[in-house]
Amino acid sequence: MRDILDSLPDEDDSTPLAAQLVLDTRRRVSLDGQQFRKPAKTRIITVANQKGGVGKTTTTVNLAAALAQAGLNVLVIDNDPQGNASTALGIDHRSGVPSVYEVLVEGMPLADTIQRCPEFPNLLCVPATIDLSGAEIELVSLVSRETRLRRALDVYLDDRTSQGLPQIDYVLVDCPPSLGLLTLNAFVTGREVLIPIQCEYYALEGLSQLLKTIQLIQAHLNPDLHVSTILLTMYDARTNLAQQVASEVREHFGKETLKTSVPRSVRVSEAPSHGQTVISYEPNSTGALAYREAAREITERAAAL
Ligand SMILES: Nc1ncnc2c1ncn2[C@@H]1O[C@H](COP(=O)(O)OP(=O)(O)O)[C@@H](O)[C@H]1O
Ligand SMILES: [Mg+2]
């Protein structure tokens, strides 16, 4: 592999397209067939940002698929009534299908809602159906309304252990674009928060509110919660604005921000309409390679901690 990498020409700023090809080839050669390191215990990551359209769902499903492709056992919990993560993973989520709604509101065991992603046998998903759209209101009157998802997940993970089933290595929870009870449940469930940030003008505006909310949850409901990861999404290196936002984020959150950023890529936005992640739809496209590399970075940082 070293030989192949060494034989590639150096990237050259004068021809961006050629440079991208070289970068992609390097990434592909070093990622193909690689198994990622398993964490000692299950890592539970909540993907949140109260802004819509910043890449939460895209990040959740593609990181999950990249981790699964590299040999890890992954569970995605789709906690957004829109059910976009379920769609992208090719999971049935018509109204009435057992889903996170039944778990949260009716106390159904998580195990009874889990489906297997057709692309990757080791990628599991708890779907969201349209029924979840009423849950914000229904949850208000229920006891321990903030901890219902966490309890259900704890029971599921413990049951797997006692049944001798393989460890789930990563749980990724996709959130709706708000800071209501659904997101609250996800924050109480997760130990880590991953914040996708779209490199555009308003990107940093909502961030302080998000961080304040996370601090409150940490103080009152979940002492383990912390922002472990920030991922720059839909990054367009050709615009000054994107570069400015990116450097500002890295300045403030140098430790949390992944080295890999995800470029804007048509393949990434097309994949969901085929009920697929870009990881299986077009594994060697620039966007897929970025998500695969970001996933590897997440697994390696854990090992370094
Ligand atoms: N890297 C990318 N390149 C191109 N389009 C993207 C990329 N990431 C996300 N998108 C598109 O942007 C839109 C919003 O992304 P999504 O993940 O649904 O955001 P959120 O879950 O935060 O609302 C979707 O149409 C998605 O396909
Ligand atoms: Mg979404």
Side-chain angles (χ1 to χ4, degrees):
M1 184 170 95
R2 243 322 4 123
D3 296 348
I4 307 178
L5 288 177
D6 288 345
S7 71
L8 294 166
D10 287 335
E11 292 125 68
D12 173 356
D13 283 346
S14 62
T15 51
L17 193 62
Q20 188 64 54
L21 278 174
V22 172
L23 184 67
D24 283 358
T25 309
R26 275 183 202 286
R27 281 191 166 156
R28 187 169 56 73
V29 170
S30 83
L31 283 162
D32 274 354
Q34 199 189 6
Q35 300 284 299
F36 295 163
R37 189 196 295 238
K38 280 181 180 290
K41 59 185 185 86
T42 307
R43 288 178 70 187
I44 306 170
I45 306 179
T46 295
V47 181
N49 188 330
Q50 77 276 31
K51 282 168 79 84
V54 298
K56 287 181 289 299
T57 301
T58 307
T59 296
T60 303
V61 299
N62 289 311
L63 286 180
L67 292 165
Q69 187 194 47
L72 302 180
N73 298 315
V74 185
L75 171 66
V76 168
I77 301 178
D78 186 352
N79 200 34
D80 180 352
Q82 294 186 54
N84 295 150
S86 310
T87 304
L89 294 174
I91 300 286
D92 181 9
H93 65 110
R94 286 168 295 181
S95 177
V97 168
S99 70
V100 73
Y101 172 83
E102 282 75 8
V103 172
L104 284 170
V105 176
E106 297 171 1
M108 183 184 274
L110 203 72
D112 295 352
T113 66
I114 287 178
Q115 297 185 46
R116 208 172 277 283
C117 173
E119 298 174 42
F120 303 100
N122 49 332
L123 175 48
L124 306 175
C125 178
V126 177
T129 64
I130 192 68
D131 304 325
L132 192 62
S133 54
E136 290 274 3
I137 294 165
E138 287 176 83
L139 276 170
V140 172
S141 60
L142 296 179
V143 287
S144 54
R145 58 193 180 188
E146 305 92 356
T147 56
R148 297 175 78 88
L149 186 61
R150 174 162 186 153
R151 293 202 179 157
L153 180 62
D154 284 349
V155 168
Y156 172 69
L157 295 176
D158 287 349
D159 281 356
R160 282 187 70 102
T161 310
S162 55
Q163 288 167 23
L165 291 168
Q167 166 179 284
I168 299 284
D169 298 305
Y170 284 83
V171 177
L172 297 177
V173 188
D174 189 24
C175 288
S178 67
L179 295 174
L181 273 172
L182 288 174
T183 300
L184 200 62
N185 263 278
F187 280 150
V188 174
T189 303
R191 311 301 187 268
E192 303 178 40
V193 182
L194 185 160
I195 305 178
I197 293 183
Q198 189 183 352
C199 297
E200 44 138 55
Y201 182 64
Y202 294 115
L204 297 172
E205 227 163 57
L207 202 57
S208 57
Q209 195 196 353
L210 178 58
L211 296 175
K212 229 178 275 166
T213 306
I214 293 168
Q215 270 172 6
L216 275 174
I217 312 263
Q218 189 193 43
H220 297 288
L221 291 165
N222 182 6
D224 297 331
L225 192 71
H226 64 286
V227 177
S228 66
T229 312
I230 290 177
L231 177 63
L232 300 171
T233 61
M234 294 179 249
Y235 180 66
D236 185 348
R238 292 165 306 180
T239 72
N240 288 335
L241 180 62
Q243 289 183 8
Q244 271 169 29
V245 173
S247 65
E248 205 165 323
V249 171
R250 289 189 192 283
E251 203 172 292
H252 285 95
F253 305 99
K255 194 162 54 72
E256 293 84 1
T257 310
L258 294 181
K259 289 197 207 83
T260 313
S261 51
V262 179
R264 201 172 266 289
S265 137
V266 177
R267 295 285 176 269
V268 170
S269 57
E270 276 173 1
S273 64
H274 300 266
Q276 286 187 43
T277 65
V278 78
I279 306 301
S280 65
Y281 176 63
E282 196 78 44
N284 295 324
S285 64
T286 300
L289 289 165
Y291 272 116
R292 291 166 68 192
E293 186 146 295
R296 178 167 65 183
E297 224 186 299
I298 289 171
T299 62
E300 287 177 352
R301 287 156 122 228
L305 285 176

